[in-house]
Amino acid sequence: EDAPVAPPKNVNATSYTPTSITICFEFPEGSTQNGLITSFNVTLVGLTFDTESQTVDVPISNAEYPSTGSICDDVTNLQEYNNYTITSVVLVNSAGSGPSSPPVQVQTLETVPGLPTNLNSTNIT
């Protein structure tokens, strides 16, 4: 058995909460998987407000998914209202990791602003 030779297809991401995104993709043709896909890894980079990058590797068990069609999974504990680049989605089998998917951009949602603090008023006559 060899590692997969094709990347996941049609990778896309959507934010449904301020701190999470849902990543979806399609498996490549079965002949390019070279065996049972056991997991997939997602690597994303977040651009924080101070312009520093943050990389998070997210191994996600794929045992309950068939290796055909498409799947979606959530990545949580992200920063609210932040831009992320999913730099790669990689399929893994018992022989190793396959090639990376192309990068995808996504932004987490904004949150509701908090109550105002230190509010002062002045009488105008």
Side-chain angles (χ1 to χ4, degrees):
E1 183 172 285
D2 291 326
V5 294
K9 300 185 302 184
N10 300 320
V11 176
N12 64 74
T14 306
S15 180
Y16 291 104
T17 73
T19 59
S20 68
I21 59 174
T22 299
I23 299 173
C24 298
F25 67 87
E26 295 175 12
F27 284 96
E29 292 71 30
S31 62
T32 65
Q33 296 177 26
N34 291 329
L36 178 67
I37 300 299
T38 56
S39 66
F40 60 95
N41 293 326
V42 175
T43 303
L44 57 94
V45 176
L47 183 62
T48 61
F49 293 111
D50 59 4
T51 67
E52 291 181 18
S53 294
Q54 173 188 10
T55 301
V56 181
D57 289 319
V58 185
I60 304 173
S61 173
N62 194 27
E64 69 272 19
Y65 297 116
S67 57
T68 60
S70 62
I71 64 170
C72 297
D73 223 319
D74 295 330
V75 178
T76 59
N77 299 318
L78 301 175
Q79 292 182 352
E80 58 195 45
Y81 198 55
N82 197 32
N83 292 312
Y84 286 90
T85 300
I86 299 164
T87 56
S88 70
V89 177
V90 174
L91 298 176
V92 180
N93 67 15
S94 62
S97 300
S100 297
S101 62
V104 174
Q105 304 285 324
V106 65
Q107 183 179 49
T108 51
L109 299 176
E110 290 184 88
T111 59
V112 176
L115 296 173
T117 58
N118 299 325
L119 188 61
N120 297 313
S121 65
T122 303
N123 279 340
I124 299 176
T125 56

